[in-house]
């Protein structure tokens, strides 16, 4: 993939020197970016997606998809600040498709948790909850994530009532997903619910 990218770049540079239109090369970058991302060659994928971004500054929805893919590549490459930058760009696009907005919000929530930015964790937990709570379908994991982080934020604040409320919501989502109330994954929420009741 790296060799292919270098060849495309040289072709583009040659076109530019000759004053020729380079737009025919962009689809090659687009194809290469997806292939290299799928093969976990994130550096080549990032450089290819960046080239696509440069060529589609005013193009929607292709630009939003490129933002998402860049965010995902940076996320996988553990370049958290760059991942945050691109996932946040998605939010700024007017009338953005929910299929990009929702996963971007969930990713931002997880990234801010890694960065330990409590204010942002709270902000994106609320956003995720708003996007998910009235939605049918298979989005339980995202809702559980939002409830989990909200419960922990309230626990840090010492708000036992809200801590209990959100850990109960978190446990309910897990029970719905796993179909039983004796799962090991429920040990933590039950424990913190118990502790919070003692603190009341």
């Amino acid at each position: 993939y790296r060799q292919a990218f270098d060849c495309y770049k040289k072709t583009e540079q040659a076109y530019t020197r000759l004053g020729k239109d380079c737009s025919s090369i962009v689809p090659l970058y687009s194809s290469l970016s997806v292939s290299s991302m799928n093969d976990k060659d994130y550096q080549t994928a990032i450089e290819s997606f960046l080239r696509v971004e440069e060529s589609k500054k005013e193009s929607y929805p292709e630009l939003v998809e490129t933002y998402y893919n860049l965010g995902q590549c940076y996320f996988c490459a553990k370049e958290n600040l760059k991942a945050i930058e691109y996932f946040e760009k998605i939010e700024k696009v007017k009338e953005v498709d929910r299929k990009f907005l929702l996963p971007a919000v969930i990713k931002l929530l997880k990234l801010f948790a890694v960065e330990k930015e409590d204010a942002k964790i709270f902000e994106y937990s609320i956003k995720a909850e708003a996007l998910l709570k009235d939605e049918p379908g298979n989005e339980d994991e995202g809702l559980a994530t939002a409830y989990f982080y909200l419960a922990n934020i309230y626990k840090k604040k010492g708000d036992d009532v809200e801590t209990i409320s959100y850990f109960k919501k978190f446990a309910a989502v897990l029970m719905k997903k796993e179909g039983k109330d004796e799962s090991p994954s429920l040990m933590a929420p039950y424990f913190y619910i118990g502790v919070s009741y003692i603190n009341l």
Side-chain angles (χ1 to χ4, degrees):
Y1 294 123
R2 183 74 248 173
Q3 290 176 326
F5 177 85
D6 290 341
C7 288
Y8 293 160
K9 194 67 179 175
K10 287 177 181 178
T11 303
E12 186 178 9
Q13 290 168 346
Y15 272 43
T16 301
R17 284 196 300 271
L18 294 170
K20 292 187 176 181
D21 181 13
C22 299
S23 59
S24 62
I25 301 173
V26 173
L28 300 176
Y29 283 118
S30 184
S31 176
L32 176 63
S33 60
V34 174
S35 297
S36 51
M37 180 175 67
N38 290 339
D39 204 40
K40 300 182 180 180
D41 181 356
Y42 297 119
Q43 190 55 46
T44 300
I46 286 167
E47 291 183 48
S48 300
F49 279 126
L50 286 172
R51 183 62 194 91
V52 174
E53 180 190 11
E54 289 173 12
S55 71
K56 296 184 176 181
K57 290 189 182 297
E58 303 299 330
S59 181
Y60 176 83
E62 290 86 353
L63 187 58
V64 174
E65 187 170 2
T66 299
Y67 286 161
Y68 183 80
N69 286 331
L70 275 164
Q72 183 69 7
C73 285
Y74 281 122
F75 179 81
C76 293
K78 302 188 185 309
E79 294 186 47
N80 291 349
L81 296 181
K82 292 298 292 184
I84 288 169
E85 176 187 338
Y86 275 94
F87 286 132
E88 284 185 329
K89 282 185 177 185
I90 293 171
E91 288 190 288
K92 296 174 183 176
V93 176
K94 292 182 179 179
E95 300 180 2
V96 62
D97 193 313
R98 188 179 179 281
K99 73 178 182 179
F100 295 115
L101 179 60
L102 176 57
V105 167
I106 298 295
K107 282 285 182 3
L108 283 164
L109 171 55
K110 293 178 178 179
L111 283 161
F112 286 124
V114 171
E115 298 297 315
K116 298 181 179 179
E117 294 190 31
D118 285 353
K120 288 289 188 180
I121 294 169
F122 185 79
E123 176 187 344
Y124 281 93
S125 294
I126 293 295
K127 286 182 178 182
E129 182 184 23
L131 285 167
L132 287 162
K133 66 180 181 179
D134 296 323
E135 283 291 326
N138 300 315
E139 292 170 328
D140 290 347
E141 183 179 349
L143 197 52
T145 300
Y147 288 156
F148 175 79
Y149 285 120
L150 281 167
N152 278 283
I153 289 291
Y154 283 118
K155 181 162 69 70
K156 283 184 180 181
K157 291 181 176 181
D159 187 334
D160 294 309
V161 172
E162 290 294 347
T163 299
I164 290 168
S165 173
Y166 278 101
F167 270 127
K168 281 184 173 180
K169 290 178 180 181
F170 175 55
V173 173
L174 293 181
M175 281 191 283
K176 177 185 172 185
K177 180 181 178 182
E178 300 184 17
K180 55 184 178 180
D181 61 0
E182 299 174 354
S183 170
S185 61
L186 290 165
M187 291 174 62
Y190 285 155
F191 172 78
Y192 287 117
I193 288 168
V195 170
S196 298
Y197 271 125
I198 290 172
N199 292 335
L200 285 176

